[in-house]
Amino acid sequence: MTHKNFDAIVVGAGMSGNAAAYTMARRGLRVLQLERGEYAGSKNVQGAIMYANMLETIIPDFRNDTPLERHLVEQRFWIMDDTSHTGMHYRSDDFNELSPNRYTIIRAQFDKWFSRKVREAGGTVLCETTATELARDSSGKVIGVHTDRAGDVIQADVVVLAEGVNGLLGTRAGLRKTPKPENVALAVKEMHFLPEEVIAERFGMTGDEGCVIEAAGTISRGMPGLGFLYTNRESISLGIGCLVSGLAATMEKPYDLLDGFKRHPSIRPLIAGSEVKEYSAHLIPEGGFKAIPQLFGDGWVVVGDAAQLNNAVHREGSNLAMASGRMAGESISLIKSRGNPMTKQSLSLYKAMLDKSFIMKDLRKYKDMPSLLHTNSRSFFMTYPQLISQAAQNFLRVDGTPKIEMEKATTAAFIKARSRWGLLSDAVRLAFAWR
Ligand SMILES: Cc1cc2nc3c(=O)[nH]c(=O)nc-3n(C[C@H](O)[C@H](O)[C@H](O)COP(=O)(O)OP(=O)(O)OC[C@H]3O[C@@H](n4cnc5c(N)ncnc54)[C@H](O)[C@@H]3O)c2cc1C
């Protein structure tokens, strides 16, 4: 038995799926959204910084009722060795604007809200339903999905794959390859609960102002990785992520890395006295531009993390997910309104929109960055953080040693650790990857 009641089926109710489903439902398309979790957001993990602009484009008045935690006014970037951090802090009252640019959110609450918006727009959302296989016609065109309910095929003109980084449905159907271990990071995260006023005092915040710390260095034990601390209203999200290939090669356990990050003397006082209530782990696509698979075909498009659309250099993912979901929704709605079939040719409109947007421009700009950080990870995540700390100490300690000798000691330490040629080559490669 088959059902053909829908213009589009969206698989997944995360950032990208909700953006796609909402966009199409608002334009009058009959949309079915399938989510394997008990409710939208029940399975989803994020730091989480939400970038307002991408949501505002979809739901302009979202601030009226979205569950937001804090708007961010301060960003700290830290390079860490085992006992120190060297930091760049940026704080600006300009971020206390009428419509703030970045917020912390809690995904379980946020996704539930977004899913309600999809239903209010007219979409049908079916939770606790896993799409198990794509259905195709004799020409190979995708015409719907099989689910773990009753075994029927649900048909639609187009299927939007918004199933997240694992993308089993697309992989099983041969639409993309399993992401390589060097192209995905495994991140672990804990939620540390503290009274609102303690968080405000510890981070120097007023009202719902928020602060972010992102840290790299010896905390990832030589692997490409990043630690993060995000302030929510009554909790702190604390986590660390490293490439799966690095974890496999070193046999380091993600939880041990998180434990080390929590015990670091620069982090420990910030979470002191907190109660840990949640622990989660999730993959992040970090292969960049070169890892993006085919994005559309006869009867299907792929969006968000499932399409590997993630800017690891700028630590952005949810915004690319929302924007790509919206663009998929807009292009499908346009094709439908013209009365055209959902062929590979017509759906190439989605890719054209992505190419013109910040998504492909940003990912293309940093296309060499992932491989640079991966191949030189020991230098960037172990040697340089230690040298930077040593240089700072040589600069700051006053013990009667002449400054010229301190400076010579710093230069000698750098050359000993990396050689003149190594330093020059790292600098040139970094400049090229960043250009
Ligand atoms: C620890 C961590 C921190 C992060 N921090 C940030 C941050 O601060 N800012 C930022 O912008 N990004 C961040 N990201 C990235 C961001 O979370 C992702 O880019 C974003 O969630 C991608 O959205 P998505 O909709 O593509 O995928 P997801 O949010 O993963 O949603 C996929 C959905 O599909 C469902 N699903 C999967 N398979 C099926 C199936 N077969 N049938 C039915 N349903 C299915 C899942 O249950 C899920 O609900 C972070 C990621 C992690 C892991």
Side-chain angles (χ1 to χ4, degrees):
M1 194 170 79
T2 59
H3 309 280
K4 171 77 166 63
N5 294 319
F6 299 100
D7 296 314
I9 295 171
V10 178
V11 179
M15 291 288 198
S16 60
N18 284 334
Y22 180 85
T23 303
M24 291 187 286
R26 280 279 292 177
R27 284 163 176 73
L29 269 64
R30 291 161 304 167
V31 178
L32 172 68
Q33 188 176 28
L34 304 175
E35 167 56 46
R36 66 184 171 154
E38 189 189 335
Y39 56 87
S42 60
K43 298 230 171 238
N44 298 338
V45 182
Q46 191 175 326
I49 303 176
M50 193 277 291
Y51 303 92
N53 172 274
M54 286 74 204
L55 181 57
E56 210 159 25
T57 314
I58 301 166
I59 305 180
D61 59 356
F62 78 88
R63 289 182 182 83
N64 291 346
D65 59 353
T66 319
L68 301 168
E69 292 291 307
R70 292 175 180 270
H71 72 275
L72 297 171
V73 297
E74 182 170 330
Q75 178 92 26
R76 306 179 188 174
F77 297 102
W78 286 359
I79 303 288
M80 289 176 132
D81 76 351
D82 292 348
T83 55
S84 76
H85 73 263
T86 311
M88 186 192 96
H89 292 194
Y90 183 74
R91 181 183 177 120
S92 173
D93 202 41
D94 294 347
F95 290 132
N96 278 321
E97 55 211 326
L98 207 57
S99 304
N101 181 254
R102 301 186 307 158
Y103 295 90
T104 48
I105 56 165
I106 294 171
R107 279 292 296 272
Q109 296 167 11
F110 181 88
D111 289 10
K112 243 189 207 170
W113 166 86
F114 210 164
S115 184
R116 198 181 75 230
K117 292 284 167 192
V118 172
R119 283 195 300 273
E120 285 169 6
T124 304
V125 182
L126 209 52
C127 291
E128 295 188 281
T129 308
T130 302
T132 50
E133 212 181 312
L134 291 175
R136 297 174 188 261
D137 67 11
S138 55
S139 72
K141 180 179 186 296
V142 171
I143 53 164
V145 295
H146 296 272
T147 75
D148 59 353
R149 285 181 185 241
D152 294 354
V153 175
I154 311 175
Q155 288 196 13
D157 294 334
V158 63
V159 175
V160 178
L161 293 158
E163 51 178 337
V165 56
N166 279 327
L168 293 179
L169 198 61
T171 310
R172 225 177 272 142
L175 305 182
R176 62 167 224 167
K177 294 199 174 85
T178 306
K180 294 181 185 158
E182 61 272 28
N183 287 341
V184 277
L186 175 63
V188 287
K189 179 188 144 180
E190 282 181 353
M191 296 282 278
H192 289 250
F193 284 79
L194 281 167
E196 190 173 342
E197 57 283 5
V198 173
I199 294 177
E201 195 188 346
R202 256 178 216 181
F203 291 88
M205 301 291 142
T206 308
D208 68 351
E209 289 176 344
C211 170
V212 158
I213 300 173
E214 286 169 328
T218 58
I219 46 168
S220 62
R221 300 183 189 163
M223 294 178 276
L226 190 81
F228 60 85
L229 182 158
Y230 300 153
T231 53
N232 303 314
R233 199 174 288 274
E234 293 181 335
S235 62
I236 289 173
S237 302
L238 190 83
I240 188 165
C242 286
L243 281 186
V244 169
S245 53
L247 292 168
T250 58
M251 300 299 281
E252 292 281 4
K253 294 187 185 67
Y255 189 78
D256 285 344
L257 298 176
L258 182 58
D259 221 34
F261 188 42
K262 275 163 35 182
R263 280 190 277 105
H264 191 282
S266 299
I267 294 292
R268 200 174 50 225
L270 299 174
I271 53 168
S274 62
E275 190 188 348
V276 182
K277 287 199 186 157
E278 284 172 41
Y279 175 76
S280 49
H282 206 277
L283 294 175
I284 309 178
E286 297 212 339
F289 185 73
K290 291 174 181 166
I292 297 172
Q294 174 67 26
L295 294 169
F296 60 94
D298 279 330
W300 65 273
V301 293
V302 58
V303 295
D305 274 13
Q308 307 287 300
L309 300 176
N310 191 292
N311 184 342
V313 177
H314 281 261
R315 306 151 323 282
E316 295 174 19
S318 66
N319 53 332
L320 281 72
M322 283 191 277
S324 61
R326 171 181 60 78
M327 287 177 219
E330 285 175 357
S331 40
I332 289 167
S333 304
L334 205 62
I335 296 164
K336 181 88 188 159
S337 71
R338 289 172 182 158
N340 291 335
M342 298 291 161
T343 58
K344 184 172 184 181
Q345 196 188 356
S346 61
L347 288 165
S348 65
L349 178 60
Y350 163 55
K351 174 69 170 32
M353 279 190 187
L354 284 178
D355 283 339
K356 267 199 222 144
S357 74
F358 75 97
I359 295 183
M360 288 307 188
K361 286 180 184 162
D362 287 356
L363 291 177
R364 209 173 271 124
K365 172 168 163 46
Y366 298 117
K367 67 180 187 310
D368 296 324
M369 192 57 101
S371 52
L372 171 66
L373 294 180
H374 303 172
T375 50
N376 273 21
S377 66
R378 256 205 107 65
S379 300
F380 288 119
F381 295 91
M382 193 64 104
T383 312
Y384 289 133
Q386 287 165 335
L387 290 170
I388 287 167
S389 172
Q390 200 175 329
Q393 291 217 16
N394 285 350
F395 187 76
L396 296 170
R397 274 188 195 281
V398 177
D399 59 4
T401 312
K403 300 293 176 227
I404 185 86
E405 283 178 29
M406 290 288 208
E407 283 165 23
K408 274 186 187 157
T410 300
T411 312
F414 269 79
I415 291 169
K416 186 171 169 226
R418 202 66 189 101
S419 82
R420 276 176 213 278
W421 170 244
L423 290 169
L424 186 67
S425 131
D426 283 350
V428 169
R429 291 179 66 194
L430 198 57
F432 265 96
W434 198 264
R435 73 195 180 278

